Amino acid sequence: MGGVDFVKCASDFRNNVTANPAYAATFGFQDPGNTTNTMNSTVTIEICQVLCGKGRDYYAWDQVASTITTWVLPVIGILLQAPYESNKPLQAVLATCRWIGSPIASLSYILWNIKVTAKCAMMVDMSVGYNERPGQDTDFAETRDSLYILSVMNQYVLKPSLPGAVTEKLLRMALFSERLHLPNSRKTIVQHRMKLAAFLRSGRRRGAVPVFISLMWFVFSLILSIQQAFGTIGENRTAHDLALGCLLGWLPVLVLSSIVDRNPVVPDDIRGRLNKFLTIVRKALVDSHTRQEFARSNEGDRVDYSWIDDMEGYHLSGEPLGNGLNTLFTHFAGQGRVRWHYGVAHPILAGIEDNSAAHYGRDWLRAPNIRHALVNGAPYNYYNDPLRHFDPREIWQIACCISLVGGTVAGAFILSYLTPTVGLGCRSGGYLNFFVIALVLLITEMLVWWITSFRSITDETKDWTRRLFARFLCVAEAGNTGWLTYIVMAQTIGSYRTCDCMGSRWGGRGGYINFDLIDQAPASLARGSWVAGTAVACITLGFGCAFIIVEWCCQSHLATADYQSAMNGLRWVRVFKRYTSWIRTIPDHIIEGFKILKWMVFGGRDGRRSLVWSWKVKPSDVQVIQGRPLPRSRESSAATVEDDVPSVPRDRQRSFPLLKLPSQSMSGSGRRSSTTTPEPPGRRSREGSNTSTDLDGYELSRFPSTNDPLIPSPTLPKMGT
């Protein structure tokens, strides 16, 4: 095959040198890096082109078939397991170009979303005690549903017309409120969330097993290639085939991550359900009577509702209120498909951590007025836009992705660079070009995101700039995808077997061909570089796959449809995290060190504001008497509190000023209302809570200490006999 035969050319050169010793002095070349005489076997690239020709010496078919079965087919098998959307061929092509052409940027978005879903799963786990396994009719189950819905919302793009501060308030109200009445609906808001969460879990794409099978096929091919390379150590072709596998080592991690950052079966249907639910909540909030009722509840007391007035000025679908309002989320953006996608979840989760969860740690749902904090969050500020900006915390994910792609490419680069002829050539230079282009695309994308996040830039300028760079990046990603495809095909069929490519003169070193080393290098020369390159790529691939698999195991309880199976999974997750907590101490100490250094240099708050996993409950606070919430199931009908709670004498109420009777609700002015507020059907009890019972069945519950982030500690009343 081909017009050049390097084996014949090398044989002719040696025969000419033997017949005429002056031939070596005329055409031979002395390798400056070699102390022995190489004139009888080495020529420059120019002489090689004269003696051998400028064509290509393609591999024989058996060698081509070996590379196809070893690497091409496993790579295609993995790529077919990527999370494509059905019946959208153009989007599938664009997504493929983005994943392959810009792997660092794509993985950065994917790992960011995995971090967000991991935080949701950890907050669900930490909301109750380590040994608690609450039932389905508890606050824990409701929190699990709310945070899972939030994690799904995080995969969709927000309509840019609605201000971020207003959107955050709307999402908090929809996800965490228990007392908001929904007009013209026979279900409570808790029952709506329960139904929506069940639908989202049933609509989650399955198929993790085929992804794992494809991964095992790739790993088996890698092991086979390593065995073949080191079994015939020094053979250049097997080294370059192994380098090809190392070069693509980041691809299994990218596809494997889709089992965590999972897309729905029908993303548009899920988007419609989410928008419909938010439309129902929005209609309830703009109703003045419903809003007044909610303001008298413990969730809506002492809250600024001006954000609802700001929300009424925006029509999410351009239609009158009540007729449309179904496009808050515009399209699916999971798995890094959409540039500059931040998601809606992290600001809400960070607010929950900052207000209560980080302070209380394990069993944070015990915090007083936790429902009020979940629903309302920080004070409303119209000009604050927490949902659309570049978050510096994403730098951790970006650094990990650069290390992942860079590590696998570095392994391939070491193998090809140090395989004779030593130097930067077509193979090693091609690997380096691919990584540099991917890195430049990432830097460009992040810079555009950072610059367009400044508040001084108008929305018009921001949209125009992002559209312009999006087109440029799309073309560049397609070009880099084509470049990687060329590298794979050239290595497969032997297009790199030319005088130019085998001379390795890209970097100044090389520029010659040693016919003695053209197909086989000495084992002593090859062993060290092959071990180093293989180790770098395999360790990077192993760490990447292990991280994704661990996250998949630790987050699965959040998306599991069967509740009992989810609780069994959560139990094993807790055991795993407890006995591997020593591994996380190193990064925790590093983060703490950065926080302390930042506080010493720039000031502000010291210490971490995020929730850190622990199996221990922090020391309890002072106990005072507080009314006991009634156990309610999701399906139970609304009933007045007087039906279930015995009456308490007036003199006893006066004796204990901190006794909160369920039959008395706080009005917006802070005074007790004379009317009875029924407990909503969604209100549920906590199983296994650490409380003691006294005073005719009323519970003793913890009141926060003076450093509680939610409520200042009051002066305790004196308890009479």
Side-chain angles (χ1 to χ4, degrees):
M1 298 176 65
V4 175
D5 187 347
F6 281 106
V7 175
K8 183 178 180 302
C9 184
S11 177
D12 292 342
F13 181 79
R14 294 190 191 95
N15 292 335
N16 291 333
V17 170
T18 303
N20 183 10
Y23 190 86
T26 304
F27 297 100
F29 175 77
Q30 176 61 43
D31 182 3
N34 199 330
T35 56
T36 61
N37 182 20
T38 63
M39 298 288 289
N40 295 334
S41 60
T42 306
V43 296
T44 62
I45 292 177
E46 292 75 16
I47 298 298
C48 174
Q49 292 175 345
V50 171
L51 298 177
C52 305
K54 297 183 179 180
R56 305 174 188 275
D57 185 11
Y58 293 101
Y59 290 134
W61 170 246
D62 59 336
Q63 295 173 326
V64 174
S66 175
T67 305
I68 290 175
T69 54
T70 304
W71 286 120
V72 177
L73 293 181
V75 168
I76 293 176
I78 281 187
L79 200 56
L80 290 176
Q81 297 301 324
Y84 296 108
E85 295 184 69
S86 302
N87 301 321
K88 293 183 178 181
L90 179 59
Q91 284 79 354
V93 172
L94 294 176
T96 302
C97 291
R98 174 148 178 81
W99 293 329
I100 297 180
S102 186
I104 305 177
S106 301
L107 278 167
S108 297
Y109 291 105
I110 292 173
L111 291 188
W112 174 255
N113 198 56
I114 289 177
K115 175 188 176 181
V116 170
T117 54
K119 191 177 288 290
C120 290
M122 184 184 67
M123 292 183 72
V124 170
D125 173 20
M126 293 280 288
S127 63
V128 295
Y130 178 81
N131 293 316
E132 289 188 44
R133 297 179 64 186
Q136 265 183 292
D137 297 322
T138 58
D139 281 339
F140 168 83
E142 180 184 331
T143 303
R144 176 174 175 263
D145 288 344
S146 298
L147 292 180
Y148 178 66
I149 295 172
L150 180 62
S151 69
V152 175
M153 289 179 174
N154 197 62
Q155 292 184 311
Y156 287 86
V157 176
L158 277 173
K159 189 177 182 68
S161 61
L162 196 64
V166 174
T167 305
E168 182 185 2
K169 291 292 184 181
L170 174 62
L171 293 178
R172 280 181 172 273
M173 193 71 66
L175 290 171
F176 301 112
S177 177
E178 290 181 337
R179 293 182 174 271
L180 180 65
H181 174 67
L182 304 179
N184 303 321
S185 177
R186 287 179 291 183
K187 296 186 182 70
T188 65
I189 190 171
V190 175
Q191 291 169 340
H192 271 286
R193 285 199 298 264
M194 176 185 174
K195 182 179 179 180
L196 178 61
F199 178 80
L200 296 180
R201 290 187 175 105
S202 64
R204 181 179 171 88
R205 185 183 293 274
R206 305 300 191 264
V209 173
V211 176
F212 278 109
I213 292 176
S214 299
L215 173 65
M216 296 306 298
W217 188 8
F218 185 92
V219 172
F220 177 76
S221 298
L222 181 62
I223 294 173
L224 188 65
S225 184
I226 293 173
Q227 187 276 332
Q228 184 178 4
F230 284 91
T232 57
I233 190 166
E235 185 178 343
N236 293 353
R237 187 186 65 85
T238 58
H240 294 311
D241 284 349
L242 177 59
L244 181 63
C246 295
L247 172 68
L248 300 172
W250 51 266
L251 184 58
V253 180
L254 190 149
V255 176
L256 185 64
S257 63
S258 66
I259 67 174
V260 183
D261 185 16
R262 201 64 170 155
N263 58 319
V265 177
V266 187
D268 291 339
D269 190 20
I270 297 296
R271 178 177 61 86
R273 295 295 185 107
L274 295 174
N275 286 328
K276 182 180 178 181
F277 171 62
L278 294 175
T279 299
I280 294 174
V281 175
R282 188 172 185 268
K283 287 180 180 179
L285 289 171
V286 298
D287 182 75
S288 58
H289 177 70
T290 302
R291 194 192 312 180
Q292 290 174 2
E293 285 187 351
F294 180 76
R296 288 193 293 267
S297 69
N298 60 349
E299 290 181 3
D301 188 23
R302 301 180 302 277
V303 173
D304 179 14
Y305 291 102
S306 60
W307 66 270
I308 299 180
D309 298 328
D310 294 333
M311 179 178 64
E312 289 187 68
Y314 291 85
H315 298 302
L316 304 185
S317 63
E319 301 179 19
L321 183 63
N323 297 329
L325 308 178
N326 57 355
T327 56
L328 177 62
F329 295 109
T330 57
H331 56 278
F332 183 70
Q335 295 98 30
R337 302 169 191 270
V338 178
R339 297 173 182 84
W340 309 301
H341 175 68
Y342 180 65
V344 300
H346 193 266
I348 296 175
L349 296 175
I352 297 173
E353 288 179 311
D354 196 21
N355 288 337
S356 56
H359 172 77
Y360 283 91
R362 168 68 66 180
D363 197 16
W364 59 267
L365 276 180
R366 77 185 190 273
N369 280 6
I370 183 62
R371 187 61 53 179
H372 185 279
L374 290 174
V375 172
N376 297 288
Y380 174 62
N381 181 4
Y382 177 85
Y383 298 100
N384 182 30
D385 192 356
L387 303 181
R388 301 183 183 94
H389 70 287
F390 175 79
D391 195 325
R393 283 169 287 198
E394 293 190 65
I395 294 176
W396 291 102
Q397 280 68 41
I398 294 173
C400 291
C401 295
I402 293 175
S403 301
L404 173 63
V405 178
T408 55
V409 174
F413 179 84
I414 293 172
L415 282 167
S416 291
Y417 184 89
L418 296 178
T419 297
T421 301
V422 176
L424 191 64
C426 294
R427 291 184 175 90
S428 56
Y431 306 157
L432 187 61
N433 280 348
F434 172 77
F435 176 75
V436 169
I437 293 173
L439 187 61
V440 170
L441 290 176
L442 168 74
I443 295 173
T444 303
E445 193 166 326
M446 295 299 111
L447 281 177
V448 172
W449 194 0
W450 176 60
I451 293 172
T452 55
S453 297
F454 292 147
R455 295 181 181 178
S456 58
I457 298 179
T458 62
D459 292 339
E460 245 181 71
T461 305
K462 179 188 302 183
D463 294 339
W464 178 85
T465 303
R466 289 188 174 183
R467 282 198 301 268
L468 177 64
F469 275 94
R471 292 188 177 94
F472 163 75
L473 291 171
C474 185
V475 173
E477 288 165 357
N480 206 27
T481 301
W483 177 250
L484 182 62
T485 304
Y486 167 76
I487 291 175
V488 174
M489 295 307 300
Q491 173 57 34
T492 301
I493 65 177
S495 294
Y496 285 139
R497 288 180 61 83
T498 65
C499 291
D500 275 325
C501 289
M502 298 175 70
S504 301
R505 63 175 177 182
W506 284 24
R509 187 177 180 180
Y512 60 91
I513 294 176
N514 190 331
F515 288 120
D516 291 340
L517 305 177
I518 196 170
D519 289 319
Q520 183 77 32
S524 58
L525 179 65
R527 182 175 288 106
S529 60
W530 288 18
V531 169
T534 304
V536 170
C538 291
I539 291 174
T540 304
L541 172 62
F543 271 109
C545 291
F547 171 78
I548 298 298
I549 292 173
V550 168
E551 288 297 327
W552 177 66
C553 293
C554 293
Q555 299 181 31
S556 293
H557 67 87
L558 188 65
T560 301
D562 183 73
Y563 187 80
Q564 293 304 321
S565 298
M567 292 301 98
N568 291 334
L570 178 58
R571 178 171 63 88
W572 285 109
V573 168
R574 289 172 174 172
V575 172
F576 171 78
K577 285 190 173 183
R578 178 176 179 179
Y579 290 102
T580 58
S581 59
W582 59 272
I583 300 177
R584 295 185 296 274
T585 57
I586 297 177
D588 285 343
H589 287 318
I590 294 175
I591 295 175
E592 288 287 353
F594 274 109
K595 291 289 184 180
I596 294 174
L597 181 62
K598 179 182 176 182
W599 173 73
M600 294 174 61
V601 176
F602 301 103
R605 290 183 54 172
D606 59 334
R608 297 181 66 176
R609 291 179 290 174
S610 57
L611 181 65
V612 180
W613 192 92
S614 174
W615 65 279
K616 297 180 180 179
V617 178
K618 291 183 179 181
S620 59
D621 300 313
V622 181
Q623 289 187 335
V624 297
I625 298 190
Q626 188 178 15
R628 176 181 58 188
L630 295 178
R632 298 281 187 183
S633 65
R634 289 173 174 169
E635 294 79 9
S636 64
S637 59
T640 58
V641 177
E642 287 86 354
D643 295 337
D644 300 309
V645 180
S647 60
V648 179
R650 284 287 180 183
D651 57 342
R652 190 163 193 176
Q653 296 181 27
R654 291 193 297 270
S655 301
F656 303 100
L658 290 181
L659 182 63
K660 297 181 180 178
L661 298 180
S663 60
Q664 294 174 326
S665 63
M666 295 296 293
S667 64
S669 61
R671 295 174 294 180
R672 295 190 180 276
S673 172
S674 59
T675 60
T676 300
T677 303
E679 196 73 27
R683 189 67 174 174
R684 299 184 293 276
S685 65
R686 292 276 312 285
E687 293 186 358
S689 58
N690 299 322
T691 55
S692 58
T693 306
D694 197 1
L695 298 177
D696 296 337
Y698 282 84
E699 291 182 353
L700 292 173
S701 62
R702 297 181 180 87
F703 204 89
S705 59
T706 55
N707 60 348
D708 187 270
L710 295 178
I711 304 176
S713 178
T715 304
L716 298 179
K718 295 181 179 180
M719 308 297 288
T721 57

